[in-house]
Amino acid sequence: MFHLSNGMLQEPTNRTEVSELGEFGLIKLITENYKIRRDDTLCAMGDDAAVIDAGARAQVVTTDMLVEGVHFDLMYTPLKHLGYKAVTCNLSDVAAMNAIPSQVLVSIALSNRFSVEAVEELYKGIYLACEKYGVDLVGGDTTSSTSGIVISVTAMGWVDKENVVYRSGAKVNDLLCVSGDLGGAYMGLQLLEREKNVFQSNPNIQPDLAGNDYVLERQLKPEARVDVVRKWADLGLKPSAAIDISDGLSSEVLHLCTSSNVGCQLYEEKIPIDPSTASLATSFNLDPSVCALSGGEDYELLFTIAQADFDKVRNHPDFTVIGHITDAGDGVNLVARDETVHPVTAQGWDALLKKDQGE
């Protein structure tokens, strides 16, 4: 409990640093003992979005915050791209629940170094995302910031109640699948950081970004896979579990398996990686598979399906089977290309961990 001392609010003497827990440890701490009070709250915390009973349908609600200097660097992130990304990364969470997004709320905190023209540029990106995904901007808040810019987006969507997909539904022998390809956003970030460092050392040198449009777009202008939700419907496919890939494949596999109380065999050779991503990773002396496992910000969908549904995804250009679900006692493992087996560890990005704060 906090208490007043000499007119000032004091913390308890037994202090634990937030960086010791990290983002997911902190979320667990503040949510594990919370009890839902309302019957229409179907899912409160612990998934990609909250789920609220709305009769025949369910409304899903999710929120995310982007902080300058933590989640983005304005030295190489255009404000229009930033506004677009702020919306799409939230719509990705809606899609992970098998829902179609409908509305967003956008709140911003600005320091006095941002002009009216800068705000207009940011909102051009926000409006573009709303137009592309057919969602309405229905409100938000604006306030001042002592430094930088903070953007908080809340996204809402709808799905028939019986079609909601949670992280917790994976079953033993289900197939583990992923949409699209992985690692591109991480390599886009590596390229931008390299050119930033070169520019800072010598401002006369122009950035060398030619030929890397794919990875740059994956980082600066990611898309939400709402189309995948529609493809599932067209295929008559309801995943048993799903999660969006924002923090790296390894972290998301662990989240899904923990929520479902299952294990997993993930096969390195099956992880889809675009040739341009692999080529750039190699030029950076990075293992493309490590980039896919640990990079994050791909905003693809990781999902599980029953083996009986395999024919629905077999040879589908957007889906790849990358593993299968096992008993929880078998653990979560990566089968490497040389057929050695390694426990999967959460190496994805975590804004609150010391290692990702540069400490």
Side-chain angles (χ1 to χ4, degrees):
M1 177 181 293
F2 288 90
H3 60 278
L4 289 173
S5 176
N6 297 324
M8 297 182 66
L9 192 65
Q10 301 292 317
E11 291 189 52
T13 54
N14 53 327
R15 177 185 172 92
T16 303
E17 299 298 332
V18 171
S19 59
E20 293 179 30
L21 293 181
E23 178 183 359
F24 304 111
L26 181 64
I27 291 172
K28 180 181 178 181
L29 175 71
I30 62 181
T31 62
E32 62 182 347
N33 295 319
Y34 182 79
K35 304 297 182 185
I36 294 175
R37 295 173 175 83
R38 296 182 56 89
D39 291 339
D40 55 358
T41 303
L42 302 180
C43 176
M45 294 172 280
D47 216 302
D48 284 77
V51 183
I52 300 168
D53 191 339
R57 295 201 297 170
Q59 184 177 49
V60 301
V61 183
T62 184
T63 189
D64 201 9
M65 188 181 299
L66 298 178
V67 179
E68 183 180 354
V70 177
H71 300 99
F72 59 89
D73 187 333
L74 287 180
M75 187 168 182
Y76 52 70
T77 307
L79 285 167
K80 185 175 180 180
H81 287 70
L82 177 61
Y84 190 91
K85 183 174 182 177
V87 173
T88 58
C89 69
N90 278 271
L91 301 187
S92 179
D93 284 327
V94 173
M97 307 301 293
N98 200 26
I100 299 296
S102 54
Q103 291 91 16
V104 293
L105 299 160
V106 178
S107 297
I108 58 172
L110 298 163
S111 72
N112 58 12
R113 69 183 172 89
F114 290 92
S115 65
V116 171
E117 290 76 15
V119 176
E120 288 180 323
E121 192 69 12
L122 177 74
Y123 272 81
K124 284 180 183 177
I126 292 171
Y127 296 151
L128 181 62
C130 289
E131 179 181 359
K132 174 163 184 175
Y133 290 94
V135 302
D136 287 330
L137 174 61
V138 295
D141 191 20
T142 57
T143 188
S144 61
S145 166
T146 56
S147 64
I149 179 173
V150 178
I151 307 170
S152 178
V153 177
T154 297
M156 293 160 278
W158 295 91
V159 57
D160 290 343
K161 199 157 52 178
E162 68 272 15
N163 288 331
V164 179
V165 175
Y166 299 95
R167 296 179 183 179
S168 56
K171 300 176 179 61
V172 175
N173 295 324
D174 279 357
L175 301 176
L176 184 68
C177 308
V178 69
S179 67
D181 57 81
L182 305 177
Y186 179 74
M187 286 315 305
L189 178 63
Q190 298 310 301
L191 180 62
L192 290 165
E193 284 287 339
R194 183 189 72 183
E195 295 308 307
K196 170 188 170 182
N197 292 334
V198 170
F199 177 79
Q200 288 177 326
S201 64
N202 186 348
N204 294 319
I205 299 178
Q206 292 299 308
D208 181 15
L209 303 174
N212 294 291
D213 292 355
Y214 181 72
V215 298
L216 290 171
E217 184 165 326
R218 294 287 282 180
Q219 170 57 219
L220 295 175
K221 189 176 174 286
E223 303 293 351
R225 297 307 306 266
V226 177
D227 63 309
V228 167
V229 177
R230 296 187 172 97
K231 288 172 182 175
W232 287 340
D234 291 343
L235 292 169
L237 177 66
K238 180 189 174 184
S240 51
I243 186 172
D244 90 317
I245 302 176
S246 55
D247 297 313
L249 177 62
S250 60
S251 291
E252 311 304 359
V253 167
L254 286 168
H255 290 323
L256 189 148
C257 288
T258 298
S259 295
S260 297
N261 191 29
V262 295
C264 175
Q265 288 280 85
L266 172 66
Y267 294 89
E268 180 187 5
E269 66 177 1
K270 300 294 185 182
I271 299 173
I273 301 173
D274 188 84
S276 61
T277 299
S279 177
L280 186 61
T282 301
S283 73
F284 273 72
N285 294 318
L286 296 172
D287 184 334
S289 294
V290 173
C291 297
L293 286 162
S294 303
E297 292 198 295
D298 288 305
Y299 299 109
E300 296 293 344
L301 297 182
L302 176 72
F303 60 101
T304 57
I305 61 172
Q307 288 199 23
D309 287 326
F310 174 63
D311 284 342
K312 296 177 181 179
V313 301
R314 185 206 299 264
N315 299 322
H316 195 288
D318 279 318
F319 303 140
T320 306
V321 177
I322 59 173
H324 63 273
I325 300 301
T326 62
D327 187 82
D330 296 329
V332 179
N333 299 296
L334 174 70
V335 180
R337 296 181 190 278
D338 62 4
E339 299 187 353
T340 57
V341 179
H342 309 272
V344 172
T345 57
Q347 296 296 320
W349 188 77
D350 186 329
L352 298 181
L353 279 181
K354 288 183 178 179
K355 71 178 181 67
D356 290 334
Q357 294 175 347
E359 297 181 14

